[in-house]
């Protein structure tokens, strides 16, 4: 089966690269005189002087994205309505995202809604976006999700108990700027939980049935970089922060079909509102039988970096919650078939999956 694969248009990497953003944005402003830029910033930056480092003009709009919880169809619709009200029919010269996966996914999904009618829920799935989104720039301030280079904007649909992305070439960023200086102040645990996402989706890709040589090569290199970072003495050294940014970049390009980790992680996100990175860690912690070698490496990484993963997160839940966890996990047919085959429900029975959640 052939598919015409798209990558991000341009990328820049290096310590202090943020200083080049004005030059990158200049061509967009020149091409669309007077058109505003819309800046999506993680709400973490709201009470800091970070925006003073950015080439924001007085007619631009700054949107602080609440990343307390992961993006939902409702939150994306809300941000899209706000931006549309600001633009009043004008076209933006660029959309720019500063943050982690939640901020970047919000920016990508809002971009799709600026160019396509309807609501976010209408575009959850593959190739449903029909019109190109405005020009988008990603500036990750934490590494690991791969959102900066993936063709998917992940959002949670509370009504359907479903975590699913807008998967489209139009969802991708046009420009990525990678400045490892921006990740220097990330808390250690969060740095690990988010960074390990690259390791997770790359080993799942390599361990599945849906393979191709390019994705395998990208995944292998990203895993190698993750091992160098997380098995080192200091995962947050200047050099390692740059390596992890590169791993995340490659991992996002390789992101395709995952396996069992991500569906269980999606269940935790939907039912317990857990962030993606740490949810992945909990998922792998009960999948030793399915991923024995990655599980072993993951545990070694956690021990080397002195990262704790407290147990008991699913204790004393109601039967309704356990069933919701199962349903929100088992619905992800493609990744589960990728790893376990078409009879995956015979392996991941309701009892089997719920027992795994109870061990977390």
């Amino acid at each position: 089966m052939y598919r015409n694969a798209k990558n991000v248009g341009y990328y820049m990497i290096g310590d202090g690269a943020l200083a080049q953003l004005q030059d990158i944005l200049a061509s967009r402003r020149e091409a669309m005189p007077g058109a505003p830029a819309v800046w999506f910033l993680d709400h973490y930056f709201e009470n800091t002087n970070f925006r003073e480092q950015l080439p924001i003009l007085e007619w631009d709009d700054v949107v602080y994205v609440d990343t307390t919880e992961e993006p939902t169809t409702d939150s994306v619709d809300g941000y899209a309505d706000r931006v549309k009200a600001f633009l009043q029919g004008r076209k933006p010269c660029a959309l720019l995202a500063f943050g982690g996966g939640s901020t970047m996914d919000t920016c990508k999904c809002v971009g799709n809604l600026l160019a396509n009618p309807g609501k976010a829920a209408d575009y959850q799935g593959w190739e449903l976006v029909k019109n190109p989104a405005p020009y988008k720039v990603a500036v990750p301030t934490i590494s690991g999700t791969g959102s900066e280079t993936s063709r998917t904007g992940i959002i949670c649909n509370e009504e359907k108990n479903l975590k699913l992305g807008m998967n489209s070439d139009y969802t991708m960023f046009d420009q990525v700027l990678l400045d490892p200086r921006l990740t220097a102040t990330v808390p250690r645990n969060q740095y690990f939980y988010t960074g390990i996402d690259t390791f997770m989706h790359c080993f799942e890709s390599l361990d599945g049935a849906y393979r191709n040589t390019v994705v395998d090569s990208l995944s292998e290199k990203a895993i190698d970089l993750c091992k160098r970072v997380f098995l080192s003495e200091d995962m947050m050294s200047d050099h390692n922060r740059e390596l992890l940014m590169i791993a995340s970049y490659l991992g996002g390009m390789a992101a395709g079909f995952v396996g069992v980790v991500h569906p269980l992680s999606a269940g935790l996100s939907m039912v317990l509102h857990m962030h993606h990175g740490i949810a992945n860690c909990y998922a792998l912690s009960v999948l030793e039988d399915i991923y024995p070698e990655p599980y072993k490496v993951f545990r070694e990484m956690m021990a080397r970096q002195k990262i704790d993963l407290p147990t008991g997160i699913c204790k004393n839940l109601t039967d309704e919650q356990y069933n919701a966890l199962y349903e929100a996990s088992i619905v992800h047919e493609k990744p589960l078939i990728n790893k376990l085959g078409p009879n995956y429900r015979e392996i991941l029975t309701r009892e089997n999956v719920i027992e795994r959640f109870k061990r977390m």
Side-chain angles (χ1 to χ4, degrees), residues 79-100:
Y79 289 120
D81 288 344
R82 176 202 156 144
V83 173
K84 288 176 182 178
F86 166 77
L87 291 173
Q88 295 182 332
R90 296 172 296 171
K91 292 184 178 180
C93 67
L95 309 178
L96 303 98
F98 294 75

Side-chain angles (χ1 to χ4, degrees), residues 113-360:
L113 293 184
L114 293 182
N116 295 270
K119 300 291 187 178
D122 299 331
Y123 300 100
Q124 285 185 285
W126 287 71
E127 314 302 348
L128 299 176
V129 181
K130 303 304 180 184
N131 301 315
Y135 184 91
K136 299 186 296 297
V137 181
V139 186
T141 61
I142 189 170
S143 302
T145 68
S147 177
E148 63 272 23
T149 47
S150 81
R151 69 193 302 273
T152 303
I154 301 292
I155 41 179
C156 299
N157 189 320
E158 301 284 356
E159 182 178 348
K160 296 182 178 179
N161 194 31
L162 178 66
K163 183 177 181 179
L164 189 63
M166 293 185 187
N167 202 312
S168 163
D169 285 349
Y170 296 139
T171 308
M172 298 184 74
F173 284 104
D174 301 281
Q175 170 79 56
V176 177
L177 191 153
L178 303 172
D179 187 342
R181 188 180 297 180
L182 296 176
T183 66
T185 59
V186 176
R188 281 185 62 83
N189 276 13
Q190 185 178 354
Y191 178 93
F192 180 89
Y193 295 144
T194 304
I196 205 70
D197 188 23
T198 294
F199 176 73
M200 300 277 188
H201 62 239
C202 286
F203 81 66
E204 286 185 284
S205 177
L206 290 170
D207 214 351
Y210 307 135
R211 305 271 297 274
N212 71 63
T213 304
V214 173
V215 170
D216 283 2
S217 300
L218 292 167
S219 296
E220 288 167 0
K221 186 58 182 177
I223 287 174
D224 174 62
L225 292 172
C226 286
K227 287 179 177 178
R228 289 166 63 182
V229 171
F230 293 121
L231 294 177
S232 70
E233 293 304 316
D234 180 10
M235 65 179 179
M236 294 190 69
S237 69
D238 291 348
H239 180 59
N240 279 339
R241 284 187 286 103
E242 184 167 351
L243 290 184
L244 190 60
M245 273 199 150
I246 297 170
S248 179
Y249 181 93
L250 297 177
M253 292 171 62
F257 290 109
V258 285
V260 185
V261 172
H262 276 69
L264 264 63
S265 171
L268 291 169
S269 293
M270 289 307 308
V271 179
L272 301 184
H273 302 283
M274 187 176 292
H275 277 264
H276 181 64
I278 192 170
N280 279 353
C281 293
Y282 277 111
L284 184 55
S285 74
V286 297
L287 293 173
E288 182 179 7
D289 57 323
I290 295 177
Y291 295 112
E293 185 56 31
Y295 172 89
K296 179 182 176 182
V297 174
F298 166 67
R299 287 296 187 185
E300 186 178 353
M301 289 173 171
M302 287 188 64
R304 183 68 60 89
Q305 302 304 329
K306 299 179 174 61
I307 300 297
D308 294 324
L309 193 66
T311 57
I313 62 164
C314 291
K315 276 186 177 179
N316 304 318
L317 298 183
T318 65
D319 289 343
E320 182 180 6
Q321 286 174 305
Y322 284 127
N323 284 325
L325 284 167
Y326 170 76
E327 295 295 343
S329 302
I330 208 71
V331 70
H332 295 279
E333 183 177 276
K334 287 183 179 179
L336 294 174
I337 291 176
N338 183 38
K339 173 56 183 173
L340 301 175
N343 298 323
Y344 68 90
R345 286 178 181 268
E346 296 177 10
I347 300 169
L348 296 179
T349 63
R350 186 179 300 270
E351 293 73 18
N352 179 286
V353 173
I354 290 175
E355 185 274 332
R356 292 180 192 273
F357 280 117
K358 288 181 176 180
R359 286 195 281 121
M360 293 182 184

